Amino acid sequence: LPRAGGAGTRPTLFTCTGARCPHGSVSASMWLLCISMHLSGPIPCAFCHDTATTHPYAHVRVYVCVCRVYVTVYSCYPSSVAHRSINFSDPGGNEGCNCESAPGGDANKESCELPDDVSPENCTDIMITNTVLAQIAAAAHRQQPFFIGLGIHKPHLPWGLPRRFWELYPDETTLPIAKHPDVPVNMPPIAYHWCDWAHFPHNATRGHPVSTAVAQHARHGYYAAVSFTDSLVAQALTALDQTHNADNTVVVLTADHGWQLGEHCEYCKQTLFETALNIPLIVYDPTRPDTHGKRTNAFAELIDLYRTLSDLAGLDASSIADDVDGASLVPALAGHVGKTAAFSQMGRCFNWKNNVDAPWTPWTGADACPFVNRSRIMYMGYSIRTNDWRYTEWVAWDGAKLGPLWNAVNATELYDHRGCTEEPGCNADFDRWENENVAGTQPAVEASLRQQLRAHYAV
């Protein structure tokens, strides 16, 4: 594989034969890209199991080695066959890079400086990027249409990052903090997500703003993580340039959710505020140069990406099943309005730690639903965002029918966004919006939005 990402990041190639771990004799036609995560030095494998795959090349096989308590997947490909894909599992908890590799390393820390020459084995984001660089090179060699996804964990916690990215922001005491660090006026308690960083300089927000020093340190870590992520994206874009594919490849940059950095007294996601729902979305189409560098206030949802990419790739829309959600965003690239609203939802479970019902204490009760069976979700928040308003209803959840109980409303929220439609970029002002819940003051607006919201989520 070609060198990717500079010194110290060259993928390691091993030879493999038969149904053995990669310590056997050389097989002339077989090569192994060996990937080890959170492990240092050679790890003896307990056994290897030769598993046939449904790979388009029938003679390609996957060797799964169970190494101690981890499972590492070794993908063996004939040297004449271009590398197709690698499956990753992160035994450290999908952290991208963690602080275990820092001087005096502690895997439980939420932020730390890693050496600038941190090994890819200790930073999964670097490892994945290196793999994608190899895939881009292989795709160029094949000279066939391709789809490649680069998934980077950062800027998610933990902020374990090479030192040079922290040093881009040398004085964290100058970094801005949220202008409205308290919860919104009249916010119902169910809208708040209790955020606990057990290993950060504080324990939890619990509805009270953190100190300025902690807030600035959080901004420092997040900014550094964004810059680190930006550098990895740049490597992939550079690879497209170097393989002469930049002028015939559609590129989409996006994320799975937003992040609150002190706004609304939050430092997490898992809310229905704008800061948690807004994401970056950049669409580059080399055949539409008039769109390059332009900004739009058109609504977009992540469910739109499938149809959008299919459209940009010139695929026949009639070949997509009718029940595939979303709509193509290509009309928005041409300046058309498109959608008039975007929808989001978020569960509330005050029982997730033991998956049984428990009393709810505002500000201190666990409220996310990551480990709760969907039949045991307690409440669901449904939100609609139009040009002028965000309206949210928190309603009881029917675990038997797996749907909302619209007649059992816990709380409503209405946030005023008027005045932003014709002001490019104003939605990116994270301090400007949703600082006061005005539910009850606009009955006609609420009635209209409620009707749209419930029609969209009709069971």
Side-chain angles (χ1 to χ4, degrees):
L1 296 179
R3 179 178 293 273
T9 58
R10 186 183 182 91
T12 304
L13 292 176
F14 294 88
T15 58
C16 67
T17 61
R20 301 179 59 188
C21 292
H23 309 294
S25 59
V26 174
S27 173
S29 64
M30 299 293 286
W31 294 92
L32 176 73
L33 178 60
C34 179
I35 296 175
S36 301
M37 281 172 269
H38 299 276
L39 305 174
S40 58
I43 303 297
C45 290
F47 66 91
C48 280
H49 180 65
D50 181 9
T51 305
T53 71
T54 57
H55 197 282
Y57 296 97
H59 53 285
V60 175
R61 306 182 75 78
V62 174
Y63 298 83
V64 180
C65 298
V66 178
C67 304
R68 291 185 180 172
V69 297
Y70 301 136
V71 175
T72 304
V73 178
Y74 300 97
S75 300
C76 299
Y77 295 85
S79 57
S80 60
V81 177
H83 172 65
R84 287 297 183 91
S85 64
I86 293 175
N87 292 322
F88 295 95
S89 63
D90 187 344
N94 190 27
E95 295 173 345
C97 311
N98 67 29
C99 293
E100 191 173 3
S101 303
D106 180 356
N108 292 319
K109 291 186 67 175
E110 299 283 19
S111 65
C112 63
E113 294 184 0
L114 301 177
D116 279 335
D117 60 350
V118 59
S119 168
E121 286 75 19
N122 293 317
C123 187
T124 315
D125 282 341
I126 296 176
M127 183 186 301
I128 291 173
T129 302
N130 289 346
T131 302
V132 166
L133 298 178
Q135 290 178 328
I136 291 173
H141 179 73
R142 288 195 300 271
Q143 296 186 337
Q144 295 177 351
F146 62 85
F147 174 88
I148 295 176
L150 170 58
I152 301 172
H153 185 265
K154 295 294 182 283
H156 198 289
L157 286 164
W159 295 319
L161 305 160
R163 184 176 299 107
R164 65 185 181 277
F165 295 103
W166 288 94
E167 293 174 348
L168 291 174
Y169 311 92
D171 185 0
E172 74 179 25
T173 64
T174 65
L175 297 180
I177 62 173
K179 294 179 182 178
H180 301 280
D182 289 296
V183 298
V185 176
N186 300 323
M187 182 204 74
I190 196 171
Y192 185 80
H193 171 59
W194 179 69
C195 185
D196 184 7
W197 293 350
H199 303 284
F200 212 63
H202 71 293
N203 185 42
T205 52
R206 296 177 184 258
H208 302 286
V210 300
S211 68
T212 297
V214 169
Q216 289 175 321
H217 184 65
R219 293 277 175 125
H220 194 181
Y222 194 85
Y223 289 3
V226 169
S227 295
F228 168 69
T229 302
D230 188 61
S231 73
L232 300 181
V233 172
Q235 292 182 44
L237 296 179
T238 298
L240 286 177
D241 279 329
Q242 293 174 341
T243 57
H244 308 291
N245 277 318
D247 293 334
N248 58 20
T249 302
V250 171
V251 179
V252 174
L253 174 69
T254 190
D256 56 342
H257 55 76
W259 191 265
Q260 290 147 149
L261 285 167
E263 301 89 359
H264 315 309
C265 202
E266 296 275 12
Y267 278 88
C268 298
K269 46 185 178 181
Q270 293 158 322
T271 73
L272 289 175
F273 295 127
E274 193 91 352
T275 44
L277 299 175
N278 259 5
I279 58 171
L281 178 59
I282 301 174
V283 179
Y284 167 76
D285 181 357
T287 69
R288 291 177 168 83
D290 58 312
T291 67
H292 297 174
K294 299 293 180 64
R295 188 189 289 259
T296 175
N297 281 330
F299 283 106
E301 300 172 286
L302 283 175
I303 57 173
D304 298 329
L305 291 184
Y306 184 93
R307 290 187 178 274
T308 301
L309 286 172
S310 298
D311 197 352
L312 292 173
L315 303 181
D316 184 359
S318 64
S319 65
I320 302 176
D322 292 338
D323 61 353
V324 173
D325 288 331
S328 174
L329 299 174
V330 170
L333 297 179
H336 299 295
V337 173
K339 295 183 174 186
T340 58
F343 299 85
S344 306
Q345 68 183 89
M346 173 64 61
R348 283 289 180 260
C349 301
F350 308 106
N351 54 5
W352 68 267
K353 287 191 174 181
N354 53 13
N355 205 28
V356 297
D357 294 339
W360 171 41
T361 304
W363 317 124
T364 60
D367 53 50
C369 301
F371 307 112
V372 178
N373 186 288
R374 60 183 179 171
S375 66
R376 300 193 66 82
I377 292 174
M378 299 179 71
Y379 298 94
M380 188 67 72
Y382 295 93
S383 190
I384 178 175
R385 172 70 156 86
T386 64
N387 280 329
D388 292 337
W389 304 94
R390 174 176 296 284
Y391 175 74
T392 301
E393 282 192 342
W394 296 93
V395 301
W397 179 255
D398 186 334
K401 296 182 178 179
L402 301 179
L405 293 170
W406 294 117
N407 61 346
V409 177
N410 177 282
T412 60
E413 298 172 87
L414 182 68
Y415 297 100
D416 191 342
H417 284 264
R418 288 176 294 183
C420 192
T421 305
E422 304 303 324
E423 187 180 336
C426 79
N427 283 316
D429 185 346
F430 305 128
D431 292 301
R432 182 171 174 178
W433 307 107
E434 301 184 359
N435 296 305
E436 181 180 4
N437 176 20
V438 296
T441 67
Q442 302 282 339
V445 170
E446 287 187 53
S448 174
L449 294 174
R450 182 183 303 112
Q451 182 180 19
Q452 295 178 63
L453 182 71
R454 295 187 178 189
H456 180 80
Y457 286 108
V459 177

